[in-house]
């Protein structure tokens, strides 16, 4: 398990705070005429992620853990390719949660970043939304590593419940990222205008956004993602957890140094 050093914890806290500001900037600014994200965050966040990854590498990722990280990232890319969120069906969260649970929150954070990056390269999904997706996935996997200890069916139930929560939270954050860029969003049925208003108060924009995400995503895409993740964890979780834990034990075993043969001279009685 990759452990947090104090410096890594500080870097992770700074990156998470900057990420939250990057997601929630529409609610923090008032009278912002140009409806576009503050690109200073888009420029700084990837650099900060690189710093964090290098810090984690210096503190605990050896060649064996890099190999495990590469295998899991490749598996995530394949899962992303075969279940690219069509209708909300998404299997990426399933492996992110189990990987973060077994290898710990630090490894989970790295796994979330690398998995979404590799998946974006495989599926041609590189774009300005990628840093948001990487950070959201990193939080999902890291949160799984921070869950309390449990075993057996209780652990599977805990992970399934967390998968449901993480699916909704991820959808909420990604919707908040894209919502200010949309204009003229209306839904038939009396919901009114659901677009971001730069001149509105924070409470008004927040209420509008909650209606927007509830109608367009939470009740459909996010719910299907939550159900898919929970079912995958319930059905495949025990076997995958056992496999990952076996791999973790092998990756964390340090071969003992061969002991030197004793050089005690044989004593012979003098004749």
């Amino acid at each position: 398990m990759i452990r947090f050093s104090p410096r890594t914890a500080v870097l992770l806290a700074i990156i998470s705070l900057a990420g939250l500001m990057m997601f929630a900037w529409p609610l923090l600014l008032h009278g912002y005429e140009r409806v576009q994200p503050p690109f200073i965050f888009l420029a700084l966040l990837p650099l900060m992620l690189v710093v964090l990854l290098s810090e984690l590498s210096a503190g605990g990722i050896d060649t064996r853990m890099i190999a495990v990280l590469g295998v899991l990232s490749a598996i995530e890319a394949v899962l992303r390719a075969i279940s690219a969120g069509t209708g909300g069906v998404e299997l990426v969260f399933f492996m992110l949660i189990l990987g973060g649970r077994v290898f710990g929150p630090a490894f989970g954070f790295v796994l979330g970043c690398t998995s979404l990056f590799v998946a974006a390269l495989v599926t041609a999904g590189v774009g300005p939304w990628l840093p948001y997706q990487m950070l959201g996935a990193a939080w999902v996997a890291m949160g799984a590593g921070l869950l309390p200890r449990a075993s057996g069916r209780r652990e599977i139930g805990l992970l399934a419940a967390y998968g449901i929560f993480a699916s909704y939270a991820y959808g909420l954050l990604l919707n908040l990222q894209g919502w200010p860029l949309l204009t003229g969003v209306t839904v038939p049925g009396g919901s009114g205008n659901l677009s971001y208003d730069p001149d509105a108060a924070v409470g008004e924009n927040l209420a509008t956004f909650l209606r927007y995400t509830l109608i367009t995503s939470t009740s459909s895409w996010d719910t299907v993602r939550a159900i898919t993740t929970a079912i995958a964890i319930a059905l495949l979780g025990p076997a995958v957890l056992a496999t990952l834990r076996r791999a973790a034990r092998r990756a964390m075993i340090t071969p003992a140094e061969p002991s030197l043969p004793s050089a005690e001279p044989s004593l012979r009685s003098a004749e």
Side-chain angles (χ1 to χ4, degrees):
M1 179 181 294
I2 305 173
R3 301 184 182 277
F4 282 102
S5 68
R7 186 168 56 180
T8 300
V10 171
L11 284 172
L12 184 57
I14 294 174
I15 289 176
S16 296
L17 179 60
L20 286 175
M21 294 178 64
M22 189 174 71
F23 277 108
W25 71 268
L27 304 178
L28 302 176
L29 300 178
H30 181 68
Y32 193 62
E33 296 181 359
R34 299 182 62 186
V35 183
Q36 62 183 18
F39 288 101
I40 183 65
F41 289 120
L42 290 177
L44 288 179
L45 187 62
L47 297 178
M48 297 173 69
L49 288 175
V50 170
V51 172
L52 178 64
L53 293 178
S54 64
E55 172 66 16
L56 289 173
S57 299
I61 302 183
D62 58 11
T63 55
R64 291 165 295 180
M65 295 304 294
I66 290 176
V68 173
L69 179 65
V71 171
L72 290 180
S73 298
I75 292 174
E76 291 283 15
V78 173
L79 292 176
R80 179 84 171 188
I82 65 178
S83 62
T86 304
V89 177
E90 183 67 80
L91 296 177
V92 173
F93 282 57
F94 158 66
M95 285 299 297
L96 284 178
I97 292 172
L98 297 185
R101 176 65 174 179
V102 171
F103 293 98
F107 184 93
F109 189 91
V110 180
L111 177 62
C113 293
T114 57
S115 295
L116 268 293
F117 180 75
V118 173
L121 295 179
V122 171
T123 60
V126 178
W129 55 82
L130 182 57
Y132 297 96
Q133 293 178 341
M134 290 172 59
L135 188 57
W139 284 337
V140 168
M142 183 182 70
L146 296 173
L147 293 175
R149 293 184 178 180
S151 60
R153 293 183 179 180
R154 182 180 178 186
E155 181 180 35
I156 296 301
L158 177 65
L159 293 176
Y162 175 75
I164 294 174
F165 166 78
S167 298
Y168 284 115
Y170 180 87
L172 187 75
L173 286 175
L174 267 295
N175 288 339
L176 184 59
Q177 170 263 322
W179 171 62
L181 307 179
L182 304 176
T183 58
V185 181
T186 58
V187 177
S191 298
N193 184 21
L194 300 179
S195 299
Y196 168 70
D197 184 359
D199 296 321
V202 173
E204 184 178 350
N205 268 329
L206 179 59
T208 302
F209 168 71
L210 291 178
R211 292 199 310 271
Y212 163 81
T213 191
L214 178 63
I215 294 172
T216 62
S217 178
T218 303
S219 59
S220 54
W221 292 75
D222 296 341
T223 297
V224 176
R225 181 191 295 118
I227 294 173
T228 302
T229 302
I231 291 177
I233 291 175
L235 295 179
L236 304 176
V240 175
L241 283 174
T243 302
L244 291 178
R245 283 174 174 146
R246 191 179 306 114
R249 286 192 295 269
R250 293 180 178 178
M252 295 174 189
I253 292 176
T254 302
E257 295 182 0
S259 58
L260 295 176
S262 59
E264 297 180 358
S266 60
L267 300 179
R268 294 185 179 181
S269 59
E271 296 183 354

